[in-house]
Amino acid sequence: MIQEIIAVLIGIIGGIFSGLTPGIHTNLLVTLLFSISPFLLTFTSPLIISVLIVSMAITHTFLNVLPAVYLGAPDSEGNSLAVLPGHRMLLQGKGYEAVTLTVLGSFLAIILGIMLTPLLLKFLPALYSSIKNYIGYLLLTISIYMIFRERKKFWSFFIFMLAGIFGMSVLNLNLKEPLFPLLSSLFGVAGLLISLKDNVKIPQQLITKTDIPKMEVAKAMSSAGIVGTFVSLMPGLGPAQAAIIGSQIIRLSDKGFLVLVGSLETLGMITSFIAITSIQKARNGAVVVISRLMETITQKDLFLFLAAAFITGLIAIFLSLNLAKIFSKLITKINYQKLCISIIILIIGMCFWLSSFLGLFVLVIGSFIGMLPSLVGIGKNHLMGCLLLPVILFFLL
């Protein structure tokens, strides 16, 4: 028990670092952790290291909204859509309220995921068996829907295909960590460059009691439960696509949408633990590493992961809201443009460290592609073609 508690606390520290640092994802940290796992296993067990990874991943889903809202810099596809209403509220002096709504969604997602666990363990294998031969067609249908719901259909199709071809090219390069420059460029550096171009000025932030619309929260969580379960079966689909599908099922205000976005990334992590247990399919980097560390993941292990996720969530709420207060006070006192430049330099340094000059080349090309949606006025979700198109072609060809 002591080892498990220590693992949770260390995982939270790792999640704080990755969540607050734009361009740094848990996939990077868990990959580094896996590389030193032979050394760590001389002191502890694969299960304890896995609990650490669970805690880190859950903490990340809570805290990564802070740079998304306050800096306009999402860590990956996971919270890219939080930038839109979140940054809009920041420019109204309501950044703290935006964070509160996403954090509420994240914690409710843990509770919802735990409640759905018995049903998913029972029905997920049969559900997956019934649709696994049609995954490519389902992903293609969803992608077409995403394109045609846009007013500027040509641009949405063009950017989806451009990002898809770019993604296939990068994934076929001899890069140690291809997802880091790929996602950091499309969803990180590109957004920061747009902020620099627009010369954004941040107004004084209000830290007041958040008015939580209970009906909007109920609608958002209902949508999350339906869509989150479906997306857990679909490789290549992330929280960004799930949020758009969910918001089409049930119409939401900006506040409800932030609750939905906050819930889907955390729920996606919870359902990933269930999926690796029930259908032996890993849906994200954290779960891939857990599956490599542990030969088999039993239901007993799953319940331990869920307990660790719940405890982590309780601590992450406190951390997120208190850090949001600090961010709200500091954001108006610092030079926003210099901050954006510093973050871009950090991402460039990490990219070079992980992938050398080839990674920097990917970062430059991806950053130009990533700016296109903002410049032509369409949703950033079409950039997820970088992962969707390769997956669709894999299943259909």
Side-chain angles (χ1 to χ4, degrees), residues 67 133 243 255 273 275 355:
N133 294 328
K255 290 184 177 182
F273 303 146
S355 307

Side-chain angles (χ1 to χ4, degrees), residues 12 15-16 19-20 58-67 70 95-96 98-104 106-107 312-328:
I12 289 172
I16 292 170
L20 295 183
I58 293 296
T59 304
H60 180 94
T61 67
F62 276 76
L63 292 178
N64 65 358
V65 70
L66 290 165
Y70 287 97
Y96 179 76
V99 171
T100 301
L101 292 166
T102 57
V103 168
L104 172 66
S106 292
F107 186 69
T312 300
L314 289 173
I315 298 172
I317 289 175
F318 172 81
L319 289 171
S320 302
L321 296 182
N322 280 280
L323 286 170
K325 291 178 181 178
I326 296 172
F327 271 56
S328 293

Side-chain angles (χ1 to χ4, degrees), residues 296-341:
T296 57
I297 300 172
T298 65
Q299 289 191 14
K300 183 180 178 182
D301 298 329
L302 173 63
F303 295 144
L304 177 61
F305 293 163
L306 294 177
F310 182 77
I311 294 169
T312 300
L314 289 173
I315 298 172
I317 289 175
F318 172 81
L319 289 171
S320 302
L321 296 182
N322 280 280
L323 286 170
K325 291 178 181 178
I326 296 172
F327 271 56
S328 293
K329 292 176 181 177
L330 292 179
I331 194 69
T332 56
K333 297 179 181 179
I334 59 178
N335 186 305
Y336 189 72
Q337 279 66 39
K338 288 182 180 178
L339 180 62
C340 288
I341 293 170

Side-chain angles (χ1 to χ4, degrees), residues 22-328:
I24 306 296
H25 196 268
T26 46
N27 287 347
L28 170 63
L29 295 188
V30 297
T31 301
L32 295 174
L33 193 63
F34 184 69
S35 69
I36 62 170
S37 60
F39 170 74
L40 296 177
L41 289 172
T42 61
F43 300 97
T44 188
S45 68
L47 181 61
I48 297 300
I49 298 175
S50 298
V51 168
L52 188 157
I53 291 171
V54 169
S55 177
M56 184 189 301
I58 293 296
T59 304
H60 180 94
T61 67
F62 276 76
L63 292 178
N64 65 358
V65 70
L66 290 165
V69 169
Y70 287 97
L71 306 178
D75 70 323
S76 69
E77 80 281 6
N79 63 359
S80 57
L81 295 185
V83 172
L84 305 176
H87 212 56
R88 195 155 54 234
M89 291 180 72
L90 177 76
L91 296 177
Q92 298 168 357
K94 298 179 180 179
Y96 179 76
E97 184 175 357
V99 171
T100 301
L101 292 166
T102 57
V103 168
L104 172 66
S106 292
F107 186 69
L108 290 177
I110 295 176
I111 296 173
L112 180 61
I114 292 172
M115 291 171 60
L116 289 174
T117 297
L119 284 175
L120 292 178
L121 286 174
K122 185 174 182 180
F123 296 111
L124 203 60
L127 181 60
Y128 180 73
S129 294
S130 65
I131 69 169
K132 66 180 180 180
N133 294 328
Y134 307 100
I135 286 177
Y137 298 103
L138 288 169
L139 292 174
L140 180 61
T141 302
I142 291 169
S143 300
I144 292 171
Y145 169 74
M146 296 292 183
I147 290 168
F148 276 90
R149 70 184 289 276
E150 287 280 0
R151 184 170 54 87
K152 298 180 179 179
K153 295 176 178 57
F154 167 78
W155 279 111
S156 57
F157 172 75
F158 175 76
I159 289 173
F160 177 87
M161 293 301 297
L162 182 63
I165 295 168
F166 177 62
M168 286 191 294
S169 302
V170 173
L171 294 174
N172 283 293
L173 291 174
N174 187 26
L175 284 174
K176 185 179 178 182
E177 287 289 334
L179 289 181
F180 183 80
L182 177 65
L183 298 178
S184 294
S185 62
L186 293 174
F187 296 100
V189 174
L192 293 167
L193 290 173
I194 291 293
S195 293
L196 285 172
K197 180 186 78 70
D198 294 340
N199 195 26
V200 172
K201 301 293 183 183
I202 306 299
Q204 194 72 29
Q205 297 297 300
L206 303 172
I207 304 175
T208 57
K209 185 177 179 180
T210 303
D211 176 27
I212 298 174
K214 294 180 181 178
M215 184 55 68
E216 284 291 305
V217 172
K219 288 161 60 178
M221 296 311 300
S222 299
S223 180
I226 297 168
V227 178
T229 303
F230 173 73
V231 169
S232 69
L233 300 172
M234 297 287 108
L237 277 186
Q241 286 74 23
I244 291 173
I245 297 169
S247 63
Q248 294 300 307
I249 294 174
I250 301 175
R251 293 288 178 179
L252 297 167
S253 65
D254 271 3
K255 290 184 177 182
F257 188 74
L258 282 169
V259 174
L260 176 65
V261 171
S263 67
L264 282 169
E265 191 174 7
T266 306
L267 184 60
M269 194 61 67
I270 298 292
T271 54
S272 291
F273 303 146
I274 300 169
I276 192 63
T277 306
S278 58
I279 60 175
Q280 290 74 54
K281 297 293 180 182
R283 294 301 184 217
N284 57 57
V287 178
V288 167
V289 171
I290 289 173
S291 67
R292 290 180 181 176
L293 285 169
M294 302 180 64
E295 292 183 6
T296 57
I297 300 172
T298 65
Q299 289 191 14
K300 183 180 178 182
D301 298 329
L302 173 63
F303 295 144
L304 177 61
F305 293 163
L306 294 177
F310 182 77
I311 294 169
T312 300
L314 289 173
I315 298 172
I317 289 175
F318 172 81
L319 289 171
S320 302
L321 296 182
N322 280 280
L323 286 170
K325 291 178 181 178
I326 296 172
F327 271 56
S328 293

Side-chain angles (χ1 to χ4, degrees), residues 365-386:
I365 301 300
S367 298
F368 282 111
I369 296 173
M371 287 190 287
L372 285 176
S374 297
L375 296 175
V376 302
I378 65 168
K380 286 186 176 183
N381 61 288
H382 300 294
L383 294 170
M384 278 304 295
C386 68

